[in-house]
Amino acid sequence: MAWRSLRAASTRLVRKRVDLQVENVENLPPNGPVIIAARHFHHLYDGAVMMSIVPRPLRILVGLDWVRNPVGKVMMERLCRAASWPVVMGRGGTLPRHDREKSRALRQAISDSLKTLRDGDALMVFPEGYPNIDPGYTPKEDESVFLPFQPGFVRLATIAASQGLRVPIVPVGLAYIRSEPWQVIVRFGEPISLTHRHEERSVLQQV
């Protein structure tokens, strides 16, 4: 129910704010666990666009280190739990106040992500961590910048493989053109599979 509600709200938003073009969506497996890895351009529209396109249960791995207000942080954590979205508290070297807190949050994020995959759902990851357009902080200096993709999503696939679960990774391209409304092109790449840790670097480069 949470996924259906989020998808309906995302679809309404996208129809109002975005001129959307989708290519090669047939590359997305219709069922079974899958990791979708995409660049991160817009703090809001990226997730909304993907929720509106993907025709199957989709969970998004969310970073909440940007929430400074303690009350707001608790509320966001509860909302993400209600949606079954895994949460990380540090992105790209951003550390919480205590390493113990970081370790605990990371273990929980891995556990929640693996549960999503064991349930046969799709897990959406933005490996750059930071969007180009954000009302708060972003290290990207302009709309053309790409950050290196962090390898955590590839490691998730190999952890799942070690537990007997094959999880393909589908790379997704997001191209934005400034206009009114935004023009957005989404292109799904062919699934990439890996089973061993020695394959992680080459798969990361492919994605």
Side-chain angles (χ1 to χ4, degrees), residues 106-142:
L106 180 59
R107 287 195 300 271
Q108 187 63 52
I110 293 171
S111 176
D112 292 344
S113 297
L114 290 171
K115 182 181 184 305
T116 291
L117 299 172
R118 285 195 299 271
D119 289 344
D121 292 336
L123 177 66
M124 180 87 220
V125 181
F126 298 103
E128 290 177 284
Y130 295 92
N132 296 69
I133 295 178
D134 193 288
Y137 168 76
T138 178
K140 297 181 178 180
E141 297 178 354
D142 58 54

Side-chain angles (χ1 to χ4, degrees), residues 9-26:
S10 296
T11 300
R12 288 194 296 270
L13 176 66
V14 169
R15 286 175 177 169
K16 290 181 180 179
R17 306 276 187 89
V18 173
D19 179 10
L20 182 61
Q21 177 181 330
V22 183
E23 300 177 4
N24 303 329
V25 70
E26 65 274 8

